Amino acid sequence: MGLDLYSRIEQYLDFEDEVYSLHKEFMTFVMMNEFDNIIDIGCGQGYFLENLKINGKKAFGIDLSAEQIKVCEQRGVDAKCMPLHDVKEKFDCATAIFDVVNYIPKNYLKDFFVDTYNVLNENGYYMFDVNSLYGFSVVADGSLTINKEEKFIAVDAVYDEDELNTNIILFDKQKDGLYKKEEDMITQYYHDIPSLKKVLNEVGFVVESVTDYNLHDFDKPDKHMLICKKVSK
Ligand SMILES: C[S@@+](CC[C@H](N)C(=O)[O-])C[C@H]1O[C@@H](n2cnc3c(N)ncnc32)[C@H](O)[C@@H]1O
């Protein structure tokens, strides 16, 4: 899947304000609960890990994209390119910020939540966001082009039958003046709140809150934030 190509175009998407406001919500949660030991699942380029570090927190990140982890290493945060299933340490809090859970197909969601449950200490907390149906079908659906720094980027996202398929094309100018074309696809999956709650409960989480969130300033909330607590089975 196109996670590495996404990583290379992420900085041109102009999402800084949105990412900042989303991270602020997660950071408030971490600080208010005084969590000291956090795993950031799908840590991307490590912005949240960096902020945790600045706030004196012990933080570790994982991501499936090697390109994202390269940027984390340059940033000086503790992160590895590895599946969640292979993480052996335990944490007081797990975060999965900015669509990470939407990358998980429905038939793998339970396994992913089990893996999250297993990296948490008893009574540990899990906070994540997912796109609302409005977020996928109205906000994300559509096309955009970007022409910056000798790069031409085309992103075309189509929402249909609970899936958002985003085609990414990058034309990157080479030293010889010619453009190299790369193309890949990312698929994200819509998960409604009742199904998420059902799977989380089966795994051993209590869903303490579900909050609507308006990330992109549209008419309706485009995201939901979930706060879950690990309880003994
Ligand atoms: C939109 S980015 C968000 C990155 C970061 N959390 C942030 O807030 O900036 C989603 C990230 O999830 C990662 N990802 C997708 N599926 C994953 C999985 N199963 N395990 C770990 N990371 C995953 C992608 O590689 C990507 O870096």
Side-chain angles (χ1 to χ4, degrees):
M1 203 166 74
L3 297 179
D4 282 341
L5 189 56
Y6 169 80
S7 164
R8 298 198 15 237
I9 65 152
E10 193 183 63
Q11 61 182 299
Y12 303 103
L13 294 177
D14 224 6
F15 278 154
E16 280 90 357
D17 292 348
E18 284 90 345
V19 170
Y20 176 76
S21 77
L22 197 56
H23 284 191
K24 214 166 120 188
E25 296 289 323
F26 282 79
M27 189 57 77
T28 304
F29 178 71
V30 167
M31 297 309 279
M32 279 176 55
N33 288 283
E34 300 182 357
F35 297 125
D36 284 324
N37 190 14
I38 299 111
I39 179 165
D40 189 25
I41 301 162
C43 61
Q45 312 205 340
Y47 298 107
F48 191 65
L49 290 173
E50 187 174 47
N51 278 324
L52 288 168
K53 196 173 160 185
I54 290 167
N55 284 302
K57 305 292 183 185
K58 185 165 178 267
F60 173 63
I62 59 143
D63 201 286
L64 285 190
S65 161
E67 289 290 325
Q68 297 283 57
I69 296 301
K70 269 189 217 160
V71 182
C72 286
E73 282 162 3
Q74 286 156 11
R75 200 179 289 286
V77 293
D78 187 11
K80 283 206 177 86
C81 181
M82 65 192 289
L84 178 59
H85 187 73
D86 292 349
V87 176
K88 299 290 170 239
E89 301 82 27
K90 294 222 188 289
F91 303 83
D92 295 333
C93 174
T95 52
I97 314 175
F98 205 1
D99 299 358
V100 176
V101 171
N102 288 121
Y103 284 83
I104 313 300
K106 283 189 202 307
N107 59 357
Y108 179 56
L109 198 59
K110 189 166 182 183
D111 290 350
F112 185 77
F113 287 154
V114 167
D115 290 342
T116 309
Y117 185 95
N118 288 338
V119 296
L120 283 170
N121 289 317
E122 214 48 52
N123 297 320
Y125 271 88
Y126 178 31
M127 183 175 182
F128 66 93
D129 62 84
V130 282
N131 283 299
S132 66
L133 185 56
Y134 181 80
F136 265 147
S137 59
V138 178
V139 180
D141 188 278
S143 306
L144 66 91
T145 57
I146 300 161
N147 196 350
K148 263 187 204 165
E149 295 175 21
E150 311 210 312
K151 287 179 179 29
F152 180 79
I153 299 162
V155 178
D156 183 30
V158 178
Y159 181 75
D160 190 30
E161 296 190 353
D162 287 356
E163 283 187 21
L164 183 81
N165 284 300
T166 305
N167 189 52
I168 303 171
I169 301 177
L170 167 67
F171 289 93
D172 200 357
K173 197 171 185 182
Q174 307 295 293
K175 285 193 184 112
D176 58 10
L178 299 176
Y179 280 82
K180 182 177 161 201
K181 180 185 174 191
E182 288 170 80
E183 181 168 3
D184 217 331
M185 177 80 91
I186 286 178
T187 303
Q188 287 171 279
Y189 306 87
Y190 170 62
H191 303 300
D192 62 63
I193 296 298
S195 339
L196 282 170
K197 278 186 170 169
K198 183 171 175 283
V199 181
L200 286 160
N201 289 338
E202 282 168 9
V203 167
F205 283 108
V206 169
V207 179
E208 290 200 343
S209 69
V210 180
T211 319
D212 288 345
Y213 194 70
N214 199 329
L215 185 65
H216 292 280
D217 266 345
F218 276 71
D219 297 345
K220 293 186 196 166
D222 47 14
K223 279 196 172 290
H224 307 292
M225 307 255 211
L226 285 88
I227 295 179
C228 317
K229 184 176 183 180
K230 170 174 174 166
V231 288
S232 346
K233 288 184 194 171

